[in-house]
């Protein structure tokens, strides 16, 4: 049984159609990388799946574990197991990181009809997950993302994922702005969370992240659709040759759709 | 810095609409019930006879009556202020009743009308046994009269006087006479003069030399009767090396007409004394169209009279149709310290013009101002602050931080920091920010499973953290809850 099935998805942002018939199926335990030139709709996909306001679905369906994902509110999507790791995690001044995470976890548990965790049980859970992510205690006592370095913000995202234990994790350009050491740390965290029951959508512009998080499938998103799918070798080919070769194969794609260069 | 420097700045920032947040703000006022209690009131109107009658009802000594009359005569000569950034309809001072008291005059807490106690219970006032559990001594003022003071014995053993102002005038006349009006003179401003003429009750606190008050002191004010004004008067005197923390809370029933609240609070800190004064104000703010609500015109001033004394004001203001108050510190004693921490939330058509004045006179005096304004609906929220450094205040320092949080696009936030620096060695710092609850912050919370209402109150709570930290523990919880209630409402 598939975990996520996107069928002919069309979505608009500020009146402009960005996704134009995207289809994708993800099974439990699979890691799918979504690559593509700038402006192809990579980030839009993550935002649409998470239910961000301003992203309007005009056509198509998204089924998540047999459930109509598009019918759910953003916070309900989180509760049924969708997690978005942000490209630019936002700061929330004055709100304690641990407090925030506990509120999130308990809101999700409440929605699912599970009992809420008291602070003792929550702290125990946090300690376990801290080991996986190698995050310092000190980070937990600070306000959400406030004054965090780029690497700390991204590690905090993965740490949140570890605690919330989603079924589907969408990593939106998690590698952007990270140096190689920080990138490795984040990838290690992600790898530790891979399991037969958890799937990943890794949205990235660069192949280098995939050296550390090895995907089962690689897709090219261009012109609002998946135009090419393959295994990790596809990513290597994109790295070596860029996107231009796809124009010969897919004459309907405009040059502008492939203008972004793979590094 | 120059010999003298004046600065005025206004920041008004419109923001993009966020329909859900605005809806989430549709507040409920939970303290809006009316208590059905027989009460004795003076007929509406104000003249010398009313002032004399008021004084007579309260059994006041001659000097007090004369003091009131002098204030009344002075008030008649004063024009109403119109300088604050407020939109106020004319107030008819002759239609207000200046005294209202529950009929059966209480002698002790056991004799207090059970209905009254019920009222306090609804308000969550920890009177009676609950007070003991909470370890808080409470003086509750209902309309104009103080109805009961808990913990008197325990306080008396420590030498602390904590009683209603009426009682203090009768029992501790010399102390009251020595300090009353010494911080806020009778003719200080229009509303202070009015208060001096007709104040009906309030609290009196006296902490003798070297005593650390063994518990938090607290007063709850409630306006119940119709067409009455509430004019309470609070005086706190902390002698050398003493220490006290005091909290007041305020509510009023929902009514269509505006009610006037014009209080005066005077604090005196002698050598090395410390006074911490916290306010949680939740007067009825009027409905969403701006009908009804309390006019909250309050003069609060602390006098750091002694060396190394310290006065700290903390306020959480969520109620009132109009709030006009500037808790201030006169830093007279060398090395004295003044602090002001404020959260002011306005919604619908509420107007707040609040801030502080720090007057540096003594050497090495320090002041710190942290003001947080939250505006929603069509409300207007202004910070107005004065930092004045006198010529002799060598080494004086001030730090001011004003942050505004806007919710919706029809509200306004304004900052008016005034500075008068007459000592070239003084250091005055000012920081101001205006932000709004961003779509990014909201979506971040939602994407983690936190619902919209909880997300908004979490973000607002975070914004206020710096101020809540200054409140006594149990009241910090209350303040947080109050903001949550204020932000409660249907989410779309």
């Amino acid at each position: 049984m598939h975990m996520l099935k996107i069928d002919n998805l069309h979505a608009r942002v500020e009146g402009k159609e960005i996704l134009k018939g995207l289809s994708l199926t993800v099974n439990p335990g699979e890691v799918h990388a979504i690559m593509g030139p700038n402006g192809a709709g990579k980030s839009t996909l993550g935002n649409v799946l998470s239910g961000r306001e301003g992203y309007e679905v005009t056509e198509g369906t998204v089924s998540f574990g047999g459930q109509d994902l598009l019918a759910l509110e953003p916070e309900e999507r989180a509760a049924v197991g969708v997690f978005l790791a942000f490209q630019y995690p936002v700061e929330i001044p004055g709100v304690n990181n641990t407090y925030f995470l506990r509120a999130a976890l308990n809101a999700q548990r409440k929605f699912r009809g599970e009992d809420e965790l008291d602070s003792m049980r929550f702290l125990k859970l946090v300690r376990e997950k801290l080991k996986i992510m190698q995050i310092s205690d000190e980070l937990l006592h600070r306000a959400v993302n406030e004054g965090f370095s780029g690497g700390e913000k991204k590690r905090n995202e993965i740490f949140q994922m570890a605690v919330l234990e989603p079924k589907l994790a969408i990593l939106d350009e998690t590698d952007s702005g990270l140096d190689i050491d920080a990138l490795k740390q984040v990838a290690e965290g992600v790898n530790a969370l891979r399991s037969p029951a958890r799937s990943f959508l890794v949205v990235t512009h660069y192949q280098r992240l995939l050296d550390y998080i090895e995907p089962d499938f690689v897709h090219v998103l261009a012109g609002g659709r998946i135009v090419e799918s393959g295994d990790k070798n596809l990513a290597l080919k994109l790295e070596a040759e860029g996107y231009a070769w796809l124009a010969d194969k897919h004459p309907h794609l405009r040059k502008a759709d492939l203008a972004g260069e793979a590094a | 810095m120059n010999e003298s420097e004046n600065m005025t700045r206004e920041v008004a920032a419109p923001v993009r609409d966020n329909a859900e947040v605005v809806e989430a703000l549709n507040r409920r006022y939970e303290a809006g019930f009316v208590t059905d209690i027989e009460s004795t009131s003076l007929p509406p109107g104000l003249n010398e006879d009313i002032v004399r009658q008021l004084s007579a009802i309260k059994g006041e000594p001659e000097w007090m009556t004369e003091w009131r009359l002098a204030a009344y005569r002075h008030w008649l000569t004063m024009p109403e202020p119109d300088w604050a950034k407020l939109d106020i309809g004319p107030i008819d001072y002759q239609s207000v009743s200046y005294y209202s008291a529950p009929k059966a005059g209480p002698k002790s807490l056991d004799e207090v009308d059970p209905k009254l106690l019920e009222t306090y219970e609804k308000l969550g006032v920890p009177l009676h046994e609950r007070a003991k559990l909470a370890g808080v001594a409470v003086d509750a003022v209902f309309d104009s009269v103080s109805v009961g003071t808990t913990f008197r014995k325990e306080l008396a053993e420590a030498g602390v006087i904590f009683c209603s102002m009426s009682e203090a005038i009768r029992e501790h006349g010399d102390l009251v006479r020595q300090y009353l009006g010494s911080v806020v003179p009778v003719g200080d401003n229009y509303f202070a003069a009015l208060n001096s003429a007709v104040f009906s009750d309030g609290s009196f606190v006296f902490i003798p030399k070297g005593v650390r008050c063994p518990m938090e002191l607290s007063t709850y004010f409630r306006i119940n009767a119709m067409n009455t004004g509430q004019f309470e008067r609070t005086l706190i005197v902390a002698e050398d090396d003493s220490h006290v923390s005091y909290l007041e809370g305020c509510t009023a029933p929902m009514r269509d007409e505006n009610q006037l609240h014009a209080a005066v609070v005077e604090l005196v800190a002698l050598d090395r004394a410390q006074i911490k004064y916290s306010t949680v104000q939740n007067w009825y703010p009027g409905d969403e169209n701006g009908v009804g609500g309390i006019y909250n015109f309050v003069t609060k001033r602390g006098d750091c009279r002694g060396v190394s004394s310290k006065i700290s004001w903390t306020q959480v203001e969520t109620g009132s149709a109009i709030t006009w108050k500037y808790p201030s510190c006169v830093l007279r004693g060398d090395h004295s310290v003044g602090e002001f921490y404020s959260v002011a939330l306005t919604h619908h058509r509420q107007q707040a013009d609040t801030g502080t004045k720090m007057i540096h006179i003594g050497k090495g005096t320090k002041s710190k101002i942290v003001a947080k304004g939250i505006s929603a609906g069509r409300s207007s929220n202004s910070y107005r602050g004065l930092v004045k450094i006198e010529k002799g205040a060598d080494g004086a320092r001030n730090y001011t931080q004003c942050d505004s949080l806007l919710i919706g696009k029809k509200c306004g936030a304004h900052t008016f920091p005034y500075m008068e620096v007459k000592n070239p060695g003084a250091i005055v710092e000012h920081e101001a920010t205006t932000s709004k609850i961003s779509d990014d912050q909201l979506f971040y919370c939602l994407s983690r499973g936190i619902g919209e209402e909880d997300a908004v109150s979490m973000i607002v709570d975070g914004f206020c953290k710096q101020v809540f930290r200054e409140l006594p523990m149990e009241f910090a919880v209350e303040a947080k809850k109050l903001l949550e209630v204020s932000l409660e409402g249907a989410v779309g």
Side-chain angles (χ1 to χ4, degrees):
Chain A
M1 173 61 179
H2 65 259
M3 166 161 308
L4 177 73
K5 188 172 169 56
I6 304 173
D7 191 26
N8 189 32
L9 187 65
H10 291 251
R12 285 199 299 208
V13 183
E14 287 168 2
K16 191 175 173 230
E17 188 165 55
I18 307 287
L19 299 184
K20 303 170 184 171
L22 185 146
S23 297
L24 177 69
T25 302
V26 178
N27 293 311
E30 291 177 353
V31 176
H32 291 243
I34 310 279
M35 301 187 72
N38 283 329
K42 298 194 301 291
S43 287
T44 299
L45 178 60
N47 283 319
V48 167
L49 293 178
S50 301
R52 184 170 196 147
E53 197 180 75
Y55 289 75
E56 189 197 350
V57 174
T58 52
E59 209 183 322
T61 57
V62 178
S63 156
F64 180 73
Q67 199 170 7
D68 177 5
L69 189 68
L70 300 178
L72 300 179
E73 294 294 327
E75 64 271 29
E76 294 170 346
R77 298 183 194 197
V80 298
V82 176
F83 180 90
L84 176 64
F86 284 74
Q87 182 177 4
Y88 304 109
V90 53
E91 303 189 359
I92 309 180
V95 177
N96 176 278
N97 212 13
T98 314
Y99 174 80
F100 174 80
L101 195 49
R102 188 175 154 214
L105 180 64
N106 278 337
Q108 292 195 15
R109 291 179 66 96
K110 200 172 163 191
F111 180 85
R112 294 193 295 256
E114 300 162 11
D115 63 329
E116 298 181 28
L117 292 189
D118 59 29
S119 25
M120 291 302 285
R121 279 165 72 201
F122 180 73
L123 272 179
K124 202 172 155 242
L125 176 72
V126 161
R127 292 232 172 77
E128 283 167 24
K129 304 295 183 181
L130 274 178
K131 281 182 213 145
I132 301 173
M133 271 320 294
Q134 299 164 344
I135 278 183
S136 75
D137 249 22
E138 185 255 344
L139 225 57
L140 293 178
H141 301 306
R142 283 165 42 190
V144 180
N145 292 320
E146 199 181 30
F148 285 27
S149 70
E152 283 172 336
K153 280 184 185 173
K154 298 294 172 73
R155 286 213 312 268
N156 194 36
E157 292 290 287
I158 308 303
F159 171 64
Q160 289 182 6
M161 189 203 299
V163 172
L164 297 173
E165 301 180 323
K167 295 193 178 97
L168 172 71
I170 304 161
L171 311 186
D172 187 10
E173 312 242 1
T174 293
D175 50 329
S176 72
L178 295 188
D179 61 33
I180 198 70
D181 291 329
L183 182 70
K184 276 185 191 166
Q185 279 182 316
V186 167
E188 272 168 31
V190 171
N191 287 328
L193 294 172
R194 286 179 77 155
S195 89
R198 181 171 297 132
S199 310
F200 289 83
L201 271 187
V202 181
V203 175
T204 179
H205 195 63
Y206 301 105
Q207 196 275 331
R208 64 169 190 168
L209 178 65
L210 306 179
D211 286 341
Y212 303 100
I213 303 174
E214 199 175 305
D216 300 304
F217 302 93
V218 175
H219 310 276
V220 176
L221 175 55
R225 261 184 257 183
I226 303 284
V227 296
E228 194 76 26
S229 296
D231 60 13
K232 62 182 177 183
N233 290 318
L234 176 58
L236 294 170
K237 184 176 165 77
L238 291 170
E239 165 98 337
E241 301 176 21
Y243 292 99
W245 59 274
L246 285 164
D248 303 332
K249 248 181 118 174
H250 304 277
H252 66 276
L253 286 175
R254 292 174 297 125
K255 255 218 161 104
D257 289 334
L258 300 167
E261 289 280 301
Chain B
M1 209 168 253
N2 292 334
E3 178 73 0
S4 169
E5 198 167 303
N6 284 285
M7 191 174 95
T8 309
R9 201 163 70 92
E10 179 172 353
V11 187
V15 272
R16 217 141 53 84
D17 200 4
N18 186 327
E20 278 121 345
V21 182
V22 173
E23 274 186 57
L25 276 163
N26 281 324
R27 63 159 55 181
R28 240 178 279 149
Y29 186 72
E30 294 196 337
F33 52 87
V34 180
T35 307
D36 184 18
I37 283 181
E38 273 196 90
S39 58
T40 320
S41 303
L42 281 175
L46 184 55
N47 53 49
E48 289 204 9
D49 269 355
I50 291 279
V51 174
R52 278 182 217 282
Q53 275 184 53
L54 176 65
S55 192
I57 291 173
K58 305 183 76 60
E60 289 176 351
E62 181 66 21
W63 68 265
M64 196 63 235
T65 313
E66 287 308 316
W67 198 85
R68 288 176 180 279
L69 286 169
Y72 173 71
R73 287 168 197 139
H74 191 89
W75 177 72
L76 288 177
T77 68
M78 300 174 85
E80 263 187 276
D82 65 348
W83 50 270
K85 192 177 171 53
L86 297 174
D87 178 17
I88 306 174
I91 300 171
D92 180 3
Y93 294 95
Q94 295 304 333
S95 69
V96 175
S97 167
Y98 289 86
Y99 185 80
S100 168
K103 211 164 209 169
K107 296 268 183 318
S108 79
L109 209 52
D110 302 328
E111 288 174 37
V112 170
D113 189 325
K115 266 194 191 145
L116 202 57
L117 290 179
E118 238 173 71
T119 306
Y120 285 120
E121 241 173 78
K122 275 194 221 168
L123 291 170
V125 179
L127 210 67
H128 242 317
E129 289 308 308
R130 285 156 61 185
K132 280 186 188 154
L133 289 172
V136 177
V138 177
D139 183 29
V141 177
F142 193 84
D143 283 339
S144 303
V145 187
S146 182
V147 290
T149 304
T150 54
F151 271 114
R152 308 198 63 164
K153 217 176 122 228
E154 288 88 339
L155 289 169
E157 276 162 18
V160 172
I161 302 171
F162 177 38
C163 63
S164 72
M165 185 56 89
S166 311
E167 190 181 334
I169 289 167
R170 291 192 302 264
E171 311 278 325
H172 310 282
D174 289 347
L175 275 176
V176 173
R177 206 170 172 179
Q178 185 184 347
Y179 290 104
L180 191 71
S182 73
V183 183
V184 179
V186 162
D188 187 78
N189 66 67
Y190 189 79
F191 296 106
L194 179 63
N195 174 286
S196 299
V198 300
F199 75 83
S200 39
D201 217 328
S203 295
F204 175 72
V205 177
F206 179 81
I207 317 286
K209 267 185 192 163
V211 171
R212 197 181 168 91
C213 187
M215 60 193 76
E216 305 273 352
L217 302 181
S218 173
T219 302
Y220 272 78
F221 296 108
R222 179 163 173 83
I223 300 178
N224 190 59
M226 245 198 249
N227 294 322
T228 50
Q230 182 153 333
F231 304 91
E232 77 284 338
R233 184 103 192 176
T234 297
L235 174 61
I236 299 179
V237 178
E239 285 199 325
D240 296 354
D241 302 292
S242 68
H243 185 285
V244 63
S245 171
Y246 182 90
L247 183 125
E248 61 172 3
C250 326
T251 58
M254 281 191 227
R255 296 196 187 281
D256 288 343
E257 66 278 5
N258 296 107
Q259 285 175 290
L260 181 62
H261 175 249
V264 172
V265 175
E266 297 177 281
L267 312 182
V268 180
L270 302 181
D271 290 352
R272 295 167 302 279
Q274 293 193 16
I275 302 176
K276 184 176 177 64
Y277 194 103
S278 313
T279 303
V280 175
Q281 186 262 115
N282 184 28
W283 296 119
Y284 179 52
D287 69 10
E288 56 187 67
N289 298 314
V291 175
I294 301 289
Y295 287 169
N296 191 30
F297 302 151
V298 173
T299 306
K300 289 181 166 175
R301 195 173 302 156
D303 190 354
C304 283
R305 221 166 268 185
V307 298
S308 302
S309 56
K310 179 176 174 182
I311 289 178
S312 181
W313 297 100
T314 306
Q315 59 174 24
V316 176
E317 305 275 329
T318 63
S320 296
I322 299 176
T323 295
W324 181 91
K325 64 180 271 200
Y326 314 92
S328 306
C329 297
V330 181
L331 304 172
R332 210 182 296 276
D334 289 348
H335 305 288
S336 59
V337 177
E339 290 176 338
F340 175 74
Y341 299 95
S342 169
V343 167
L345 182 146
T346 53
H347 188 216
H348 297 315
R349 291 180 186 264
Q350 275 178 281
Q351 305 173 67
D353 195 299
T354 183
T356 184
K357 292 180 213 163
M358 294 290 173
I359 315 292
H360 292 254
I361 299 170
K363 292 182 176 57
T365 46
K366 274 191 237 160
S367 63
K368 182 177 178 186
I369 299 168
V370 177
K372 305 270 183 180
I374 302 159
S375 344
R378 292 166 178 274
S379 67
S380 163
N381 201 328
S382 302
Y383 168 81
R384 186 185 303 276
L386 168 69
V387 175
K388 189 171 183 178
I389 313 257
E390 299 288 2
K391 210 160 188 161
D394 294 335
R397 293 194 71 143
N398 162 266
Y399 171 76
T400 301
Q401 180 192 339
C402 299
D403 298 320
S404 306
L405 187 67
L406 303 169
I407 303 174
K409 64 175 182 182
K410 288 174 183 152
C411 53
H414 315 271
T415 309
F416 305 95
Y418 304 87
M419 291 179 206
E420 290 174 34
V421 180
K422 294 182 179 151
N423 185 307
I427 299 172
V428 178
E429 293 171 81
H430 179 87
E431 286 178 29
T433 66
T434 300
S435 57
K436 64 188 188 83
I437 293 189
S438 73
D439 296 342
D440 289 345
Q441 283 174 327
L442 259 187
F443 180 59
Y444 191 75
C445 296
L446 295 177
S447 77
R448 296 296 179 257
I450 298 168
E452 188 138 0
E453 252 175 45
D454 291 340
V456 170
S457 55
M458 190 182 274
I459 293 167
V460 169
D461 183 44
F463 176 75
C464 301
K465 185 77 22 107
Q466 236 179 324
V467 173
F468 287 174
R469 213 180 276 148
E470 298 299 323
L471 285 172
M473 182 69 155
E474 56 272 48
F475 299 117
V477 175
E478 187 176 329
K480 195 178 161 213
K481 264 171 61 189
L482 191 55
L483 283 199
E484 267 166 27
V485 168
S486 304
L487 296 166
E488 206 174 79
V491 174

